[in-house]
Amino acid sequence: MLSETKLNALKEISGGFSRDEAVWASGFLAGIAGASVNTPSLSSIAAPEAISVSKITLAYGTETGNSKKLAVELAGIIKKKGVQVKLADLSQYKTKDLAKEGLFFIIISTQGEGEPPILAKKFYDYLHENDPDLSSLKFGVLALGDSSYPLFCKTGEDVDSRFELLGAQRIIPLKKCDIDYEQESHAWAEHIINVVHKTAEIGQKISSAPKTATGRRKYKGTVASIINLNDIGSGKETYHIEIETEDPLVYSPGDALGVIAVNSKAEVDEIISLTGINPGKQITTAKITASAEELLYRHLNISYLLKTTVAQYAQITGHHIPEVRLGLLDLLKIYPVKNADDFEQVIAVLTGQSPRLYSISSSLEAHGDSEIHITVAKSEFFINDKKQNGLCSGFLAEFKEGETLEFYIQEAKHFRLPEPEKDIIMIGPGTGIAPFRSFLYERDAAGAEGRNWLFFGDRNFVSDFLYQSELQDFLKTGTLTHLDLAFSRDTDEKIYVQHRLEQKAQEVYHWIEGGASLYVCGTRDPMSRDVEKTLLNIIQEKGKHSQESALAYLEELELSGRYVKDVY
């Protein structure tokens, strides 16, 4: 036993020890004593800086819910291997806690022009606008993205490099995942487990990782029918397009059809004329070698350039150009290139043509595997007071019956129908109706017993009631249990789908309590946000919940797959 004096001295010295320091000290003392008990010797003890904790923080930054859903899934896998996991939503994360973290892992997606998800922007901005000391932090980043887009996984790259710059130690290399991310994300979770435990037993493969096909299958189709669903007097053009294929289609309700549009031939010809470039000249870009004309027509984005592309154009041409987004043709007219050689450099910095996704509005069960339907609203907007059409929606709207196009199927793993006996509530104004048309045809053809309730809205009943006759038929046959409509321009006071939800609050809550799944499709802002506020109010008022417990209630629905969104 120690004397009281030595004991007090030992307590004073060891009082401020960290866990790692305490472990090291115990081994050191055991070594001095020559202990024969099973206490680790000095040489076998990990140094204080080695990873010896079994608790991590797994944070996620999400826009559509994929990062959150994946984080929850991976947290479950990691916990089963004996590692404690604290899940953190970056929209609510306290940035002052970052410097106190030990092992910190992030799953984050990229949006728009390489931007962070809206809900993670505060965290992203904190990292880039401040200089916290992160020298005690050990980290890894999993970036989600779509390689069809030019700034693939840029947010993840930014966060990874910024952490390193702030002194944090990267213990797992940056992992960039494309749309088929299951296998790679599970391998990433396995890597975390190996790093935390530092033991061979934990290095076994995670057997639960699903096997998924990689890459996208391309289909060639013929436009069999194209119909403007809006009537005379409408200020909108919404097209129902039916495409027939020779190869059998494979898709599920909720999936999307991906199209890569070609540019206007007249616009490409004018660009070639303005710049003097030889249209047949072979030019190599990051992804393809083709003639200048072919690149401009089929492969490169020329319609609405990224701000970063405009800045590169300014560097090449020597013009002072304000931060702006313009089409290439307008840019050439206002800030011309000196010669064809300069324009060849411009071609090299143009980004690839990005695909556009449209929710599939047909069903394999109802329509067979040789045709597929989409619902496309022709997009119109203004740049410098000049009216522009959306590239792909304008491209599709100009198709004629008998013309062909190439497309692929984009799986929407989070946007799936529940079991046939389960009830569903669908909220989809405008083209948000598309996946719900697929849902209704699928459930009708399969004889699903679950009830179906649709909330649909648009501007005017007479001119904008998309798929009116079909929905009324579904009501007559009982496939649709309820159909609630909101036409905002038909009344003095504008009525939207969220107002119809409020009017049916008691029954909506009763359906949810009975196990119904909620689906929302359409514009993110303001529609989906207004709908979510209304749902929270319904849960709070009809379920007698506090504001905090209503939020928890809705979050639980989301985590269990009973509240899903496909918003844009």
Side-chain angles (χ1 to χ4, degrees):
M1 296 292 291
L2 292 175
S3 67
E4 186 175 348
T5 302
K6 289 182 178 179
L7 181 60
N8 289 336
L10 181 60
K11 286 180 179 179
E12 185 177 348
I13 293 170
S14 62
F17 277 7
S18 67
R19 179 183 181 278
D20 289 331
E21 289 168 338
V23 170
W24 186 90
S26 67
F28 177 78
L29 292 173
I32 291 175
S36 60
V37 294
N38 294 328
T39 306
S41 68
L42 175 61
S43 61
S44 68
I45 296 296
E49 66 270 18
I51 300 161
S52 58
V53 298
S54 59
K55 182 178 180 180
I56 69 169
T57 296
L58 181 59
Y60 58 86
T62 189
E63 183 91 3
T64 63
N66 280 344
S67 296
K68 179 178 183 178
K69 191 170 183 179
L70 181 59
V72 171
E73 179 187 357
L74 297 187
I77 292 171
I78 295 168
K79 285 177 183 177
K80 287 179 182 177
K81 296 296 184 178
V83 179
Q84 294 180 45
V85 182
K86 180 180 77 174
L87 272 175
D89 183 343
L90 290 180
S91 67
Q92 301 171 19
Y93 186 79
K94 295 177 181 177
T95 51
K96 64 181 178 62
D97 292 340
L98 191 57
K100 305 172 190 174
E101 297 279 4
L103 291 172
F104 192 79
F105 301 93
I106 292 183
I107 301 173
I108 194 163
S109 59
T110 295
Q111 309 300 319
E113 295 184 46
E115 298 160 353
I118 292 172
L119 296 177
K121 192 172 187 307
K122 180 181 175 182
F123 179 86
Y124 180 91
D125 289 346
Y126 169 80
L127 281 184
H128 288 81
E129 295 171 3
N130 297 276
D131 295 302
D133 178 8
L134 301 185
S135 56
S136 298
L137 187 86
K138 298 174 178 65
F139 75 97
V141 177
L142 176 71
L144 296 183
D146 185 336
S147 60
S148 299
Y149 292 84
L151 299 174
F152 175 55
C153 289
K154 186 174 188 304
T155 297
E157 291 177 342
D158 290 348
V159 170
D160 182 85
S161 60
R162 185 62 181 165
F163 266 111
E164 184 177 42
L165 195 63
L166 293 171
Q169 178 189 345
R170 184 189 297 104
I171 56 172
I172 293 181
L174 170 67
K175 171 64 70 175
K176 295 194 287 186
C177 291
D178 210 336
I179 54 168
D180 294 316
Y181 53 73
E182 281 85 351
Q183 284 181 297
E184 288 188 314
S185 64
H186 280 254
W188 187 73
E190 178 187 334
H191 200 165
I192 290 175
I193 293 165
N194 288 335
V195 167
V196 173
H197 278 293
K198 286 282 194 178
T199 166
E201 298 94 69
I202 307 302
Q204 60 188 357
K205 294 287 182 183
I206 298 175
S207 59
S208 60
K211 306 296 181 186
T212 57
T214 57
R216 297 183 174 120
R217 180 179 175 182
K218 297 285 182 64
Y219 293 93
K220 286 188 177 179
T222 301
V223 176
S225 177
I226 178 165
I227 302 167
N228 184 358
L229 296 173
N230 299 104
D231 211 334
I232 296 169
S234 175
K236 303 170 74 174
E237 293 179 41
T238 307
Y239 292 90
H240 172 76
I241 303 175
E242 298 183 2
I243 303 164
E244 293 180 347
T245 65
E246 291 185 4
D247 294 331
L249 293 154
V250 178
Y251 68 88
S252 299
D255 286 345
L257 180 147
V259 180
I260 298 181
V262 298
N263 295 306
S264 161
K265 186 68 166 62
E267 193 170 334
V268 170
D269 288 344
E270 192 171 354
I271 288 170
I272 289 171
S273 176
L274 276 174
T275 60
I277 195 164
N278 177 1
K281 182 169 186 180
Q282 294 292 302
I283 298 174
T284 299
T285 67
K287 289 191 174 183
I288 191 171
T289 297
S291 68
E293 182 178 33
E294 179 75 4
L295 287 171
L296 293 169
Y297 181 53
R298 291 191 178 276
H299 301 289
L300 298 176
N301 173 37
I302 65 171
S303 61
Y304 192 36
L305 304 186
L306 300 174
K307 291 176 184 176
T308 51
T309 306
V310 174
Q312 289 174 300
Y313 180 98
Q315 276 191 323
I316 292 167
T317 61
H319 292 293
H320 176 71
I321 304 175
E323 190 176 90
V324 68
R325 292 193 68 172
L326 285 173
L328 180 59
L329 182 57
D330 288 333
L331 199 59
L332 285 164
K333 288 177 177 178
I334 302 169
Y335 307 101
V337 294
K338 296 184 184 71
N339 50 47
D341 290 339
D342 274 3
F343 185 62
E344 190 172 335
Q345 292 182 57
V346 170
I347 288 177
V349 302
L350 294 176
T351 58
Q353 194 72 281
S354 298
R356 270 63 166 182
L357 298 174
Y358 297 93
S359 295
I360 296 168
S361 52
S362 55
S363 154
L364 281 176
E365 286 286 336
H367 301 101
D369 63 1
S370 61
E371 70 174 271
I372 191 167
H373 306 168
I374 54 175
T375 309
V376 179
K378 188 174 181 180
S379 174
E380 295 179 342
F381 56 95
F382 290 85
I383 300 178
N384 295 334
D385 298 324
K386 182 180 177 182
K387 187 177 179 180
Q388 307 276 342
N389 289 325
L391 173 65
C392 200
S393 63
F395 164 74
L396 291 170
E398 296 301 317
F399 265 85
K400 303 291 186 292
E401 292 181 9
E403 293 183 339
T404 61
L405 79 160
E406 192 176 76
F407 64 92
Y408 64 90
I409 303 299
Q410 173 72 62
E411 279 191 274
K413 300 176 181 67
H414 72 292
F415 207 77
R416 289 284 184 255
L417 278 167
E419 296 301 315
E421 68 277 7
K422 299 292 186 181
D423 298 335
I424 61 173
I425 299 173
M426 301 164 284
I427 305 158
T431 53
I433 186 68
F436 302 140
R437 180 179 185 264
S438 174
F439 280 16
L440 289 168
Y441 270 110
E442 181 83 6
R443 298 198 107 192
D444 182 56
E449 296 177 2
R451 297 176 297 171
N452 308 300
W453 188 350
L454 174 65
F455 289 84
F456 171 75
D458 215 310
R459 291 179 180 174
N460 300 102
F461 177 90
V462 173
S463 59
D464 303 314
F465 191 168
L466 309 184
Y467 299 114
Q468 178 180 354
S469 60
E470 293 181 2
L471 295 177
Q472 289 173 334
D473 286 342
F474 281 133
L475 266 178
K476 290 175 185 174
T477 61
T479 298
L480 256 179
T481 308
H482 298 305
L483 174 60
D484 282 87
L485 303 169
F487 293 99
S488 60
R489 307 291 173 87
D490 284 347
T491 53
D492 292 335
E493 185 179 350
K494 290 185 177 180
I495 301 294
Y496 298 106
V497 286
Q498 64 266 24
H499 300 125
R500 297 303 186 208
L501 280 167
E502 286 176 341
Q503 292 169 2
K504 299 295 179 72
Q506 187 63 59
E507 192 172 2
V508 167
Y509 184 72
H510 181 71
W511 274 49
I512 297 171
E513 277 288 279
S517 295
L518 288 161
Y519 297 87
V520 180
C521 184
T523 57
R524 176 181 292 107
D525 200 15
M527 186 278 295
S528 72
R529 302 190 194 284
D530 290 339
V531 164
E532 186 157 303
K533 288 176 187 174
T534 302
L535 290 171
L536 285 168
N537 288 337
I538 290 172
I539 293 165
Q540 196 171 339
E541 292 173 12
K542 302 305 176 184
K544 310 300 181 187
H545 287 271
S546 66
Q547 186 176 12
E548 185 177 347
S549 65
L551 280 166
Y553 185 104
L554 194 62
E555 183 170 329
E556 179 56 35
L557 288 179
E558 189 173 0
L559 290 175
S560 64
R562 286 181 51 211
Y563 173 45
V564 292
K565 294 171 283 188
D566 182 8
V567 296
Y568 39 84

